[in-house]
Amino acid sequence: MHDSTAPPTALTIAGSDSGGSAGLHADLRTFFACGVHGTTAVTAVTVQNTTGVSGVVEVPPETVAAQVDAVASDIGVGAAKTGMLASAATIDAVLDACDRHGIGRGGTTPFVVDPVAAARSGEPLLHPDALDALRHRAFPRATLVTPNLDEVRLLTGIDARTRDDLLDAAKAVYDFGPQWVLIKSGHLPDDAECVDLLFDGTEAVQLPGPRYATEHTHGAGDVFASAITAALAKGASMPDAVRGGKRFVTRSVADAYPLGSGVGPVSTFWRISPRSY
């Protein structure tokens, strides 16, 4: 055997999904399919399947931070993303660890904050103090923030219902201080297309894509954010990374499959093999 060059690395700071469809499982699948070695800092263990979440056990904040320290000090982090950050204490611990290792604005490592704050039903997943910590502590450190429309509503109070509302939503999130904002509009009910909006405080770029008639969209937001993170780990510019992530998640939704008796996952399998199931 001979040593080969290690691939780029990306870190996901997120919760587990026992159903294997979302959370850090979706992130790791996406990193692999995008040619990136994935590492993890587990924030919470969820008890869930395709019908919903029936339990959550939070990992102690100091243990979450220790995972970030362990990975960053030895393996390194080409880019990092967050998923479910269960509490304000976890958010603070993660941000302190990221600061120690130059992850985020002011450092050299891109930091994607996917503010997992709403369940598929639109119900809040986070306590008010955690929402506040996201707004005022996590967002100002983020290279990119990627809320969906339910999360925009929880974070800003803006209820975006049409394509014309997306820029207002982006500006409101941008005002919290991230470098870039990506508004994911998959939940727009009446738009024939799925148009996401990337905003840097000055220029807004629309990213149109097809809207597929499938209910199997579990993990779509995670896959989108982690595909962007993988591209950033490879050195892509933010606009190129987001365009690449959009292409990746669009194909993943097109290949979504049924699982269990509820909502199935989007599929990253399209990237590595012909569809055979």
Side-chain angles (χ1 to χ4, degrees):
M1 288 188 59
H2 64 278
D3 291 337
S4 57
T5 304
T9 62
L11 167 66
T12 173
I13 306 165
S16 72
D17 168 9
S18 51
S21 295
L24 66 85
H25 305 287
D27 295 337
L28 288 176
R29 276 202 303 277
T30 303
F31 290 163
F32 174 80
C34 293
V36 170
H37 176 88
T39 57
T40 63
V42 184
T43 61
V45 176
T46 71
V47 180
Q48 68 174 292
N49 54 28
T50 64
T51 64
V53 179
S54 58
V56 178
V57 176
E58 296 180 20
V59 174
E62 60 272 18
T63 305
V64 179
Q67 293 173 83
V68 176
D69 286 331
V71 168
S73 62
D74 174 46
I75 296 166
V77 180
K81 75 171 289 286
T82 64
M84 179 183 176
L85 300 175
S87 66
T90 294
I91 292 168
D92 285 339
V94 165
L95 294 174
D96 287 347
C98 287
D99 285 349
R100 286 195 289 275
H101 300 286
I103 298 169
R105 296 188 71 180
T108 57
T109 302
F111 187 41
V112 176
V113 175
D114 188 17
V116 179
R120 282 197 306 273
S121 61
E123 290 299 302
L125 291 174
L126 295 179
H127 298 300
D129 67 331
L131 281 174
D132 212 50
L134 275 178
R135 289 186 196 101
H136 299 299
R137 298 202 282 282
F139 285 9
R141 288 170 161 94
T143 316
L144 174 69
V145 176
T146 62
N148 64 31
L149 296 182
D150 291 320
E151 288 150 359
V152 166
R153 180 172 47 79
L154 288 171
L155 291 160
T156 71
I158 291 175
D159 189 11
R161 296 193 167 272
T162 70
R163 203 179 291 191
D164 293 338
D165 296 334
L166 297 181
L167 184 57
D168 289 338
K171 287 177 176 175
V173 175
Y174 182 81
D175 283 345
F176 290 122
Q179 188 173 348
W180 299 78
V181 175
L182 176 66
I183 304 294
K184 300 179 293 194
S185 76
H187 295 187
L188 269 187
D190 302 318
D191 202 313
E193 284 190 302
C194 188
V195 179
D196 304 308
L197 192 76
L198 180 65
F199 184 62
D200 66 355
T202 304
E203 184 181 5
V205 178
Q206 287 196 352
L207 302 158
R211 181 180 294 276
Y212 294 105
T214 178
E215 65 179 20
H216 302 305
T217 58
H218 196 190
D222 301 333
V223 167
F224 195 175
S226 49
I228 294 168
T229 305
L232 293 171
K234 292 168 146 181
S237 69
M238 186 62 73
D240 285 347
V242 171
R243 287 188 186 97
K246 174 76 173 183
R247 286 192 299 270
F248 189 94
V249 74
T250 297
R251 284 293 303 270
S252 298
V253 173
D255 273 19
Y257 51 87
L259 199 68
S261 57
V263 178
V266 301
S267 175
T268 59
F269 290 122
W270 70 267
R271 191 63 176 266
I272 56 172
S273 69
R275 188 163 183 169
S276 59
Y277 43 86

mmCIF file of all heavy atoms in Angstrom, residues 7-13 24 27-41 71 75-79 81 226 229-230 233:
data_model
loop_
_atom_site.group_PDB
_atom_site.id
_atom_site.type_symbol
_atom_site.label_atom_id
_atom_site.label_comp_id
_atom_site.label_asym_id
_atom_site.label_seq_id
_atom_site.Cartn_x
_atom_site.Cartn_y
_atom_site.Cartn_z
ATOM 1 N N PRO A 7 -7.996 13.896 1.137
ATOM 2 C CA PRO A 7 -8.948 14.835 0.549
ATOM 3 C C PRO A 7 -9.136 16.044 1.456
ATOM 4 O O PRO A 7 -8.701 16.033 2.620
ATOM 5 C CB PRO A 7 -10.239 14.018 0.454
ATOM 6 C CG PRO A 7 -10.117 13.014 1.550
ATOM 7 C CD PRO A 7 -8.652 12.694 1.655
ATOM 8 N N PRO A 8 -9.792 17.097 0.966
ATOM 9 C CA PRO A 8 -10.164 18.204 1.852
ATOM 10 C C PRO A 8 -11.056 17.691 2.985
ATOM 11 O O PRO A 8 -11.660 16.624 2.878
ATOM 12 C CB PRO A 8 -10.942 19.159 0.932
ATOM 13 C CG PRO A 8 -10.550 18.766 -0.451
ATOM 14 C CD PRO A 8 -10.249 17.313 -0.421
ATOM 15 N N THR A 9 -11.113 18.464 4.057
ATOM 16 C CA THR A 9 -11.902 18.055 5.224
ATOM 17 C C THR A 9 -12.993 19.087 5.518
ATOM 18 O O THR A 9 -12.825 20.280 5.269
ATOM 19 C CB THR A 9 -11.022 17.915 6.470
ATOM 20 O OG1 THR A 9 -10.443 19.189 6.789
ATOM 21 C CG2 THR A 9 -9.916 16.899 6.253
ATOM 22 N N ALA A 10 -14.100 18.596 6.051
ATOM 23 C CA ALA A 10 -15.186 19.477 6.485
ATOM 24 C C ALA A 10 -15.760 18.928 7.782
ATOM 25 O O ALA A 10 -15.855 17.711 7.975
ATOM 26 C CB ALA A 10 -16.274 19.583 5.427
ATOM 27 N N LEU A 11 -16.141 19.823 8.665
ATOM 28 C CA LEU A 11 -16.669 19.474 9.988
ATOM 29 C C LEU A 11 -18.142 19.850 10.063
ATOM 30 O O LEU A 11 -18.517 20.982 9.747
ATOM 31 C CB LEU A 11 -15.891 20.245 11.062
ATOM 32 C CG LEU A 11 -16.466 20.267 12.480
ATOM 33 C CD1 LEU A 11 -16.445 18.882 13.117
ATOM 34 C CD2 LEU A 11 -15.682 21.262 13.355
ATOM 35 N N THR A 12 -18.974 18.894 10.489
ATOM 36 C CA THR A 12 -20.359 19.217 10.786
ATOM 37 C C THR A 12 -20.577 19.176 12.292
ATOM 38 O O THR A 12 -20.162 18.229 12.967
ATOM 39 C CB THR A 12 -21.359 18.284 10.076
ATOM 40 O OG1 THR A 12 -22.687 18.575 10.550
ATOM 41 C CG2 THR A 12 -21.065 16.812 10.312
ATOM 42 N N ILE A 13 -21.189 20.223 12.807
ATOM 43 C CA ILE A 13 -21.505 20.357 14.232
ATOM 44 C C ILE A 13 -23.025 20.272 14.316
ATOM 45 O O ILE A 13 -23.735 21.245 14.075
ATOM 46 C CB ILE A 13 -20.984 21.699 14.779
ATOM 47 C CG1 ILE A 13 -19.485 21.856 14.473
ATOM 48 C CG2 ILE A 13 -21.247 21.815 16.274
ATOM 49 C CD1 ILE A 13 -18.963 23.279 14.637
ATOM 50 N N LEU A 24 -26.489 15.037 10.998
ATOM 51 C CA LEU A 24 -25.101 14.776 10.630
ATOM 52 C C LEU A 24 -24.973 13.605 9.656
ATOM 53 O O LEU A 24 -23.991 13.511 8.923
ATOM 54 C CB LEU A 24 -24.245 14.565 11.878
ATOM 55 C CG LEU A 24 -24.495 13.361 12.767
ATOM 56 C CD1 LEU A 24 -23.775 12.122 12.288
ATOM 57 C CD2 LEU A 24 -24.053 13.694 14.197
ATOM 58 N N ASP A 27 -25.242 15.129 6.340
ATOM 59 C CA ASP A 27 -24.021 15.911 6.100
ATOM 60 C C ASP A 27 -22.868 15.004 5.672
ATOM 61 O O ASP A 27 -22.164 15.281 4.697
ATOM 62 C CB ASP A 27 -23.631 16.682 7.363
ATOM 63 C CG ASP A 27 -24.645 17.739 7.758
ATOM 64 O OD1 ASP A 27 -25.413 18.190 6.888
ATOM 65 O OD2 ASP A 27 -24.662 18.119 8.941
ATOM 66 N N LEU A 28 -22.672 13.907 6.401
ATOM 67 C CA LEU A 28 -21.556 13.015 6.090
ATOM 68 C C LEU A 28 -21.735 12.360 4.721
ATOM 69 O O LEU A 28 -20.772 12.206 3.965
ATOM 70 C CB LEU A 28 -21.414 11.943 7.174
ATOM 71 C CG LEU A 28 -20.877 12.422 8.525
ATOM 72 C CD1 LEU A 28 -20.888 11.279 9.535
ATOM 73 C CD2 LEU A 28 -19.473 13.000 8.389
ATOM 74 N N ARG A 29 -22.968 11.957 4.398
ATOM 75 C CA ARG A 29 -23.223 11.384 3.064
ATOM 76 C C ARG A 29 -22.889 12.390 1.974
ATOM 77 O O ARG A 29 -22.310 12.050 0.941
ATOM 78 C CB ARG A 29 -24.686 10.968 2.926
ATOM 79 C CG ARG A 29 -25.026 9.610 3.464
ATOM 80 C CD ARG A 29 -26.297 9.077 2.834
ATOM 81 N NE ARG A 29 -27.431 9.965 3.014
ATOM 82 C CZ ARG A 29 -28.179 9.997 4.100
ATOM 83 N NH1 ARG A 29 -27.903 9.220 5.136
ATOM 84 N NH2 ARG A 29 -29.211 10.814 4.183
ATOM 85 N N THR A 30 -23.279 13.641 2.208
ATOM 86 C CA THR A 30 -23.037 14.682 1.209
ATOM 87 C C THR A 30 -21.548 14.976 1.077
ATOM 88 O O THR A 30 -21.027 15.098 -0.038
ATOM 89 C CB THR A 30 -23.815 15.955 1.578
ATOM 90 O OG1 THR A 30 -25.205 15.632 1.688
ATOM 91 C CG2 THR A 30 -23.631 17.032 0.527
ATOM 92 N N PHE A 31 -20.856 15.099 2.199
ATOM 93 C CA PHE A 31 -19.405 15.322 2.145
ATOM 94 C C PHE A 31 -18.734 14.217 1.328
ATOM 95 O O PHE A 31 -17.897 14.480 0.461
ATOM 96 C CB PHE A 31 -18.805 15.332 3.562
ATOM 97 C CG PHE A 31 -19.178 16.520 4.411
ATOM 98 C CD1 PHE A 31 -18.995 16.481 5.789
ATOM 99 C CD2 PHE A 31 -19.690 17.683 3.851
ATOM 100 C CE1 PHE A 31 -19.317 17.565 6.595
ATOM 101 C CE2 PHE A 31 -20.020 18.782 4.652
ATOM 102 C CZ PHE A 31 -19.832 18.712 6.023
ATOM 103 N N PHE A 32 -19.088 12.971 1.610
ATOM 104 C CA PHE A 32 -18.493 11.848 0.894
ATOM 105 C C PHE A 32 -18.763 11.941 -0.609
ATOM 106 O O PHE A 32 -17.857 11.783 -1.430
ATOM 107 C CB PHE A 32 -19.048 10.532 1.451
ATOM 108 C CG PHE A 32 -18.601 9.320 0.685
ATOM 109 C CD1 PHE A 32 -17.348 8.770 0.902
ATOM 110 C CD2 PHE A 32 -19.433 8.738 -0.255
ATOM 111 C CE1 PHE A 32 -16.935 7.648 0.189
ATOM 112 C CE2 PHE A 32 -19.023 7.624 -0.977
ATOM 113 C CZ PHE A 32 -17.774 7.075 -0.756
ATOM 114 N N ALA A 33 -20.024 12.206 -0.948
ATOM 115 C CA ALA A 33 -20.397 12.271 -2.359
ATOM 116 C C ALA A 33 -19.722 13.438 -3.073
ATOM 117 O O ALA A 33 -19.554 13.409 -4.292
ATOM 118 C CB ALA A 33 -21.919 12.389 -2.495
ATOM 119 N N CYS A 34 -19.317 14.446 -2.316
ATOM 120 C CA CYS A 34 -18.636 15.609 -2.887
ATOM 121 C C CYS A 34 -17.111 15.502 -2.776
ATOM 122 O O CYS A 34 -16.397 16.467 -3.072
ATOM 123 C CB CYS A 34 -19.115 16.889 -2.200
ATOM 124 S SG CYS A 34 -20.841 17.297 -2.537
ATOM 125 N N GLY A 35 -16.601 14.343 -2.340
ATOM 126 C CA GLY A 35 -15.159 14.138 -2.308
ATOM 127 C C GLY A 35 -14.439 14.784 -1.149
ATOM 128 O O GLY A 35 -13.268 15.154 -1.261
ATOM 129 N N VAL A 36 -15.135 14.915 -0.011
ATOM 130 C CA VAL A 36 -14.571 15.577 1.161
ATOM 131 C C VAL A 36 -14.651 14.620 2.352
ATOM 132 O O VAL A 36 -15.653 13.913 2.526
ATOM 133 C CB VAL A 36 -15.342 16.887 1.461
ATOM 134 C CG1 VAL A 36 -14.944 17.479 2.796
ATOM 135 C CG2 VAL A 36 -15.125 17.895 0.341
ATOM 136 N N HIS A 37 -13.593 14.584 3.171
ATOM 137 C CA HIS A 37 -13.588 13.771 4.387
ATOM 138 C C HIS A 37 -14.367 14.513 5.472
ATOM 139 O O HIS A 37 -14.018 15.637 5.850
ATOM 140 C CB HIS A 37 -12.148 13.526 4.865
ATOM 141 C CG HIS A 37 -12.074 12.787 6.166
ATOM 142 N ND1 HIS A 37 -12.053 11.413 6.233
ATOM 143 C CD2 HIS A 37 -12.033 13.229 7.449
ATOM 144 C CE1 HIS A 37 -11.996 11.043 7.504
ATOM 145 N NE2 HIS A 37 -11.991 12.128 8.263
ATOM 146 N N GLY A 38 -15.410 13.876 5.974
ATOM 147 C CA GLY A 38 -16.254 14.515 6.974
ATOM 148 C C GLY A 38 -15.869 14.154 8.384
ATOM 149 O O GLY A 38 -15.559 12.999 8.695
ATOM 150 N N THR A 39 -15.889 15.153 9.275
ATOM 151 C CA THR A 39 -15.698 14.950 10.704
ATOM 152 C C THR A 39 -16.912 15.524 11.425
ATOM 153 O O THR A 39 -17.683 16.296 10.844
ATOM 154 C CB THR A 39 -14.414 15.633 11.198
ATOM 155 O OG1 THR A 39 -14.468 17.034 10.871
ATOM 156 C CG2 THR A 39 -13.183 15.011 10.552
ATOM 157 N N THR A 40 -17.086 15.145 12.689
ATOM 158 C CA THR A 40 -18.316 15.528 13.384
ATOM 159 C C THR A 40 -18.056 16.016 14.801
ATOM 160 O O THR A 40 -17.116 15.573 15.464
ATOM 161 C CB THR A 40 -19.291 14.338 13.489
ATOM 162 O OG1 THR A 40 -18.692 13.298 14.270
ATOM 163 C CG2 THR A 40 -19.664 13.793 12.126
ATOM 164 N N ALA A 41 -18.919 16.913 15.245
ATOM 165 C CA ALA A 41 -19.099 17.222 16.657
ATOM 166 C C ALA A 41 -20.593 17.055 16.916
ATOM 167 O O ALA A 41 -21.414 17.827 16.411
ATOM 168 C CB ALA A 41 -18.650 18.644 16.976
ATOM 169 N N VAL A 71 -10.891 17.595 16.730
ATOM 170 C CA VAL A 71 -10.802 17.514 15.263
ATOM 171 C C VAL A 71 -9.886 18.608 14.727
ATOM 172 O O VAL A 71 -8.981 18.358 13.915
ATOM 173 C CB VAL A 71 -12.208 17.622 14.636
ATOM 174 C CG1 VAL A 71 -12.113 17.828 13.128
ATOM 175 C CG2 VAL A 71 -13.027 16.374 14.949
ATOM 176 N N ILE A 75 -6.734 16.958 12.864
ATOM 177 C CA ILE A 75 -7.070 16.716 11.457
ATOM 178 C C ILE A 75 -7.138 18.018 10.666
ATOM 179 O O ILE A 75 -6.777 18.080 9.496
ATOM 180 C CB ILE A 75 -8.420 15.954 11.380
ATOM 181 C CG1 ILE A 75 -8.280 14.576 12.032
ATOM 182 C CG2 ILE A 75 -8.905 15.826 9.938
ATOM 183 C CD1 ILE A 75 -9.600 13.889 12.315
ATOM 184 N N GLY A 76 -7.596 19.065 11.337
ATOM 185 C CA GLY A 76 -7.809 20.335 10.654
ATOM 186 C C GLY A 76 -9.220 20.419 10.097
ATOM 187 O O GLY A 76 -9.922 19.411 9.968
ATOM 188 N N VAL A 77 -9.633 21.628 9.776
ATOM 189 C CA VAL A 77 -10.987 21.882 9.278
ATOM 190 C C VAL A 77 -10.883 22.765 8.045
ATOM 191 O O VAL A 77 -10.480 23.928 8.141
ATOM 192 C CB VAL A 77 -11.853 22.570 10.366
ATOM 193 C CG1 VAL A 77 -13.253 22.830 9.831
ATOM 194 C CG2 VAL A 77 -11.918 21.711 11.632
ATOM 195 N N GLY A 78 -11.254 22.205 6.889
ATOM 196 C CA GLY A 78 -11.241 23.008 5.672
ATOM 197 C C GLY A 78 -12.422 23.950 5.585
ATOM 198 O O GLY A 78 -12.336 25.047 5.027
ATOM 199 N N ALA A 79 -13.551 23.525 6.127
ATOM 200 C CA ALA A 79 -14.756 24.347 6.253
ATOM 201 C C ALA A 79 -15.622 23.670 7.300
ATOM 202 O O ALA A 79 -15.494 22.467 7.543
ATOM 203 C CB ALA A 79 -15.511 24.463 4.930
ATOM 204 N N LYS A 81 -19.724 23.525 9.228
ATOM 205 C CA LYS A 81 -21.132 23.922 9.219
ATOM 206 C C LYS A 81 -21.779 23.511 10.534
ATOM 207 O O LYS A 81 -21.312 22.580 11.197
ATOM 208 C CB LYS A 81 -21.882 23.278 8.050
ATOM 209 C CG LYS A 81 -22.179 21.798 8.233
ATOM 210 C CD LYS A 81 -23.112 21.253 7.161
ATOM 211 C CE LYS A 81 -24.540 21.738 7.286
ATOM 212 N NZ LYS A 81 -25.267 21.080 8.416
ATOM 213 N N SER A 226 -24.567 21.343 3.430
ATOM 214 C CA SER A 226 -23.322 20.579 3.496
ATOM 215 C C SER A 226 -22.651 20.477 2.134
ATOM 216 O O SER A 226 -21.409 20.415 2.060
ATOM 217 C CB SER A 226 -23.537 19.206 4.131
ATOM 218 O OG SER A 226 -24.617 18.517 3.569
ATOM 219 N N THR A 229 -20.786 23.619 1.979
ATOM 220 C CA THR A 229 -19.624 23.529 2.872
ATOM 221 C C THR A 229 -18.508 22.718 2.222
ATOM 222 O O THR A 229 -17.327 23.087 2.307
ATOM 223 C CB THR A 229 -20.041 22.907 4.208
ATOM 224 O OG1 THR A 229 -21.136 23.669 4.765
ATOM 225 C CG2 THR A 229 -18.895 22.894 5.199
ATOM 226 N N ALA A 230 -18.875 21.624 1.563
ATOM 227 C CA ALA A 230 -17.878 20.797 0.883
ATOM 228 C C ALA A 230 -17.172 21.594 -0.209
ATOM 229 O O ALA A 230 -15.942 21.519 -0.356
ATOM 230 C CB ALA A 230 -18.536 19.552 0.292
ATOM 231 N N ALA A 233 -14.753 23.951 1.318
ATOM 232 C CA ALA A 233 -13.565 23.237 1.789
ATOM 233 C C ALA A 233 -12.589 22.987 0.648
ATOM 234 O O ALA A 233 -11.376 22.887 0.864
ATOM 235 C CB ALA A 233 -13.971 21.913 2.435
#
